[in-house]
Amino acid sequence: SAVISQKPSRDICQRGTSLTIQCQVDSQVTMMFWYRQQPGQSLTLIATANQGSEATYESGFVIDKFPISRPNLTFSTLTVSNMSPEDSSIYLCSVLRASGTRYEQYFGPGTRLTVT
Amino acid sequence: AQSVTQPDIHLTVSEGASLELRCNYSYGATPYLFWYVQSPGQGLQLLLKYFSGDTLVQGIKGFEAEFKRSQSSFNLRKPSVHWSDAAEYFCAVGARGNEKLTFGTGTRLTIIP
């Protein structure tokens, strides 16, 4: 498995501001992902955080709104920019552990964001 | 495109009773299937996974799931639930070479005494 920590665990932010969420893993991993879980809904993949290069965003998500950094194999940040109440969600980081063609994704505890 | 359907949004089960959570998937190739549990205020914990081989897989906390290709299903079961099993359960699908998981909408499980 993997031990994943996220900071902050929760925050309440004013609209128009930005929040950066940190994700730290206890060992090197090849792939890291960021997900959003809107209230009462399932998880939606925002992007794949690529080490040393730009993140790969899913349809509906753009770099200007959700800039992502991944400076090394154990750390990544997601910034939620120019926030609006619609950005109120839980943001989760996950990592991939692969063995041959098989893999497992492990999730951090999440960051609960409320935008007022 | 892959998709996952969890038909039961909410399920209520008596403590000690058996449990079955339904999951149907749509995927053109052989799927990799996962069940996760999310307790209130917590992240997701992997319960079990299926890649190939034996269609009945065992997981943690006494859970098991059966892959039925003919029905495109991967239902989660537990013979006797405990109050601590109250949580949200998510089914997810991926594939060989496609590590981006697609999640179902989840089933919220309530346990009554």
Side-chain angles (χ1 to χ4, degrees):
Chain A
S1 64
V3 178
I4 306 168
S5 60
Q6 284 186 235
K7 290 182 185 179
S9 58
R10 59 177 61 228
D11 208 341
I12 301 173
C13 301
Q14 303 252 348
R15 70 172 67 208
T17 62
S18 298
L19 176 72
T20 296
I21 302 167
Q22 298 179 3
C23 176
Q24 179 75 54
V25 190
D26 64 338
S27 58
Q28 294 184 351
V29 292
T30 51
M31 298 184 78
M32 294 180 76
F33 304 96
W34 286 98
Y35 287 84
R36 180 176 72 182
Q37 186 178 22
Q38 294 177 299
Q41 299 194 24
S42 187
L43 282 78
T44 302
L45 180 63
I46 297 172
T48 303
N50 300 309
Q51 194 265 325
S53 65
E54 191 173 289
T56 305
Y57 290 84
E58 298 300 305
S59 176
F61 297 96
V62 295
I63 187 170
D64 290 346
K65 176 66 176 177
F66 298 101
I68 289 170
S69 78
R70 191 175 171 199
N72 57 52
L73 293 177
T74 64
F75 185 79
S76 178
T77 66
L78 167 75
T79 300
V80 185
S81 303
N82 188 24
M83 288 184 284
S84 67
E86 291 71 37
D87 295 319
S88 297
S89 295
I90 299 173
Y91 292 86
L92 297 116
C93 134
S94 78
V95 303
L96 194 79
R97 286 239 185 270
S99 176
T101 59
R102 301 181 174 193
Y103 55 82
E104 297 174 357
Q105 270 195 42
Y106 297 96
F107 286 81
T111 296
R112 184 179 295 271
L113 171 62
T114 302
V115 183
T116 60
Chain B
Q2 59 206 49
S3 66
V4 179
T5 302
Q6 292 181 248
D8 304 307
I9 297 173
H10 193 187
L11 210 58
T12 300
V13 177
S14 297
E15 190 168 14
S18 63
L19 171 69
E20 182 169 28
L21 301 181
R22 296 183 290 165
C23 172
N24 292 96
Y25 69 89
S26 173
Y27 194 71
T30 301
Y32 286 178
L33 294 158
F34 307 84
W35 274 101
Y36 286 86
V37 60
Q38 186 178 35
S39 299
Q42 304 291 314
L44 274 72
Q45 182 180 24
L46 180 63
L47 283 176
L48 47 76
K49 66 271 186 185
Y50 170 79
F51 298 113
S52 65
D54 192 347
T55 57
L56 184 64
V57 294
Q58 303 296 321
I60 62 171
K61 303 185 179 187
F63 285 93
E64 66 178 27
E66 186 171 12
F67 171 58
K68 293 185 177 180
R69 184 186 300 276
S70 62
Q71 298 176 19
S72 298
S73 70
F74 188 57
N75 294 348
L76 182 72
R77 301 193 294 247
K78 187 169 184 178
S80 175
V81 297
H82 186 262
W83 64 267
S84 60
D85 293 323
E88 185 105 26
Y89 291 80
F90 293 95
C91 181
V93 65
R96 177 176 176 169
N98 180 10
E99 298 86 359
K100 297 179 185 179
L101 299 184
T102 297
F103 283 82
T105 50
T107 297
R108 182 175 298 277
L109 178 64
T110 299
I111 308 295
I112 56 176

